[in-house]
Amino acid sequence: MRAGRTLAAAVLATAIALVGTVAGTAGTTAQAGAPPAPECPASLHCRYAPAAYALVPGAKSASQYGDYDLANRPEDGDRIDTIVIHDTETSAAAAIHAFQHPADQASAHYLIGRDGSVTQLVPDRDIAWHAGNKYVNAHSIGIEHEGYAMRADFTEAEYRASAELVRWLAARYGIPLDRDHVIGHDEVPAPDAAHTAGMHWDPGPYWNWRHYLALLGTRLKGARRTPRVGETVTVDPPYGADYQPRVTGCDDVCPARPASFVYLRTGPSAYAPLITDPLARAGLKQPTGTTLGADWTDKAVVGQRFVVAAVRGDWTAIWFDGQRAWFHNPDGAAALASRGDGAVRGPAPLSGTAYPSASDFAAAGVPAPAAPAGPSRAVPAGQAYPAAGGAPLPSDYYYTDALSCSAPTDCLRVTGAQTYTALHFNHRLAFTPTR
Ligand SMILES: [Zn+2]
């Protein structure tokens, strides 16, 4: 599902004085004449339909534009290291139509149709507004899939075309084809706690991650056995007729279908309540501890990794969102066990972005993004969470203000000395300063 710039970015965008609207200083996206050739493997049916890059109707300043940012990735230092999987919740034609209007304030690099056709909307080097997190946008490629999460109507042609495109992009930009780097929109962290409730949950509980990973040639690590405390488990329930968890949020109870997640409970019993998100409990307007398909707070998804906190009979507890979360895992039926490595141990602060420090922004002469609003998450003492994504991430921030990079210090990448480690904290990734 589409998600525009973060609120922080929008606030920033209106806070800066403007100097004209002359054409770009950083990007060189073609806006006139024939559209560029799509960046696509030759074996796919690809076309280019440019997303809007223009002022919104009635704009009072050059800061009010859509639907993406000019950049020059990866040559400008902004590595492309993540693929974000979305679904449209509308027809392909309607989604493309929206992306071609700047008032929509959202875009994606690619859209895969139900027939397996590929439409590129934003050049890879530019930053599409798709993840609802400016840091993740700056380092990712967003791919929309025509379909509806709760109808589970993604086609085989769609899965195959998407996987072929992602393999090609991974080779082009050096993106590891694993679940730390190929993620759902539902796994993108909120930039801060105040935005948690608005974060999207596509492609939803029925996206067939197992099948998609097989098409990518990705094998999940681990052995199918009962795990031991302190080991890592990779969530991997069967996808088929013998595993059809009850889900609500279709008209009522959804039809029995295979799904890509396990429910997480407060105790080692099918009668124990589903876990709830502490922030949601504290007042966020999001469902938590429910069987709703949209409720990501009590579901762990195929490919996500966690540290084992306890084992009792057929039940495995993982550290998840600061609590012990139990799932039914007889003989490893729902997760692969492996030796733990690279875990982040508490206490450790968490954030939804890996931005430079205030002094780095001051040194660059660029206004710092607004400080995170609301309570923050943290890894409690005594708990551990698997690091995601290998090497520490340099902190950076891609500053944008006006259309065509026309404002002072516009389209500038601010960097800092602090590095961050990504980790699997709950259903979504998180970042912590590297120690
Ligand atoms: Zn989305």
Side-chain angles (χ1 to χ4, degrees), residues 38 40-47 111 115-119 161:
C40 238
S43 52
L44 290 177
H45 295 287
C46 295
R47 68 178 187 123
L111 187 148
D115 58 358
S117 63
V118 179
T119 302

Side-chain angles (χ1 to χ4, degrees), residues 11-21 60-63 367 399-403 405-410:
V11 170
L12 248 185
T14 52
I16 311 302
L18 299 166
V19 182
T21 54
K60 295 189 171 53
S61 80
S63 295
Y399 174 73
T400 52
D401 175 15
L403 187 72
C405 302
S406 53
T409 68
D410 213 350

Side-chain angles (χ1 to χ4, degrees), residues 186 190 193 195-197 199 264 266 274-290 295-299 320-323 325 375-378 425-428:
D186 59 319
H195 289 89
T196 298
M199 292 303 288
L264 300 172
T266 57
L274 295 167
I275 64 160
T276 54
D277 181 311
L279 286 186
R281 262 198 332 256
L284 294 179
K285 287 180 181 149
Q286 69 172 66
T288 184
T290 73
D295 182 0
W296 48 269
T297 65
D298 54 13
K299 298 174 181 70
F320 184 98
D321 210 8
Q323 54 194 308
S376 56
R377 297 182 195 268
F425 181 64
N426 54 21
H427 188 104
R428 299 181 186 274

Side-chain angles (χ1 to χ4, degrees), residues 1 87 89 148-151 185-187 196-207 246-252 254 257 259 261 263 274 277 280 285-301 427-428:
M1 276 166 268
D87 80 66
E89 299 296 316
Y148 295 84
M150 296 307 285
R151 294 182 193 168
H185 194 179
D186 59 319
E187 295 167 273
T196 298
M199 292 303 288
H200 291 196
W201 53 275
D202 57 314
Y206 300 121
W207 177 261
R246 182 178 187 275
V247 176
T248 54
C250 298
D251 285 332
D252 179 18
C254 300
R257 293 185 188 122
F261 71 91
Y263 278 119
L274 295 167
D277 181 311
K285 287 180 181 149
Q286 69 172 66
T288 184
T290 73
T291 54
L292 288 169
D295 182 0
W296 48 269
T297 65
D298 54 13
K299 298 174 181 70
V301 174
H427 188 104
R428 299 181 186 274

Side-chain angles (χ1 to χ4, degrees), residues 314-408:
D314 289 345
W315 290 77
T316 298
I318 51 176
W319 294 121
F320 184 98
D321 210 8
Q323 54 194 308
R324 273 192 185 81
W326 295 84
F327 65 99
H328 192 229
N329 186 32
D331 301 318
L336 304 169
S338 59
R339 270 192 22 224
D341 55 350
V344 172
R345 296 179 187 285
L350 294 175
S351 57
T353 59
Y355 287 157
S357 67
S359 58
D360 295 322
F361 281 95
V366 165
S376 56
R377 297 182 195 268
V379 177
Q383 299 186 13
Y385 292 81
L393 305 165
S395 51
D396 62 12
Y397 180 88
Y398 189 73
Y399 174 73
T400 52
D401 175 15
L403 187 72
S404 302
C405 302
S406 53

Side-chain angles (χ1 to χ4, degrees), residues 1-3 84-87 130 144 185 200 202:
M1 276 166 268
R2 299 162 283 126
V84 181
I85 301 296
H86 302 263
D87 80 66
H130 60 95
E144 288 279 357
H185 194 179
H200 291 196
D202 57 314

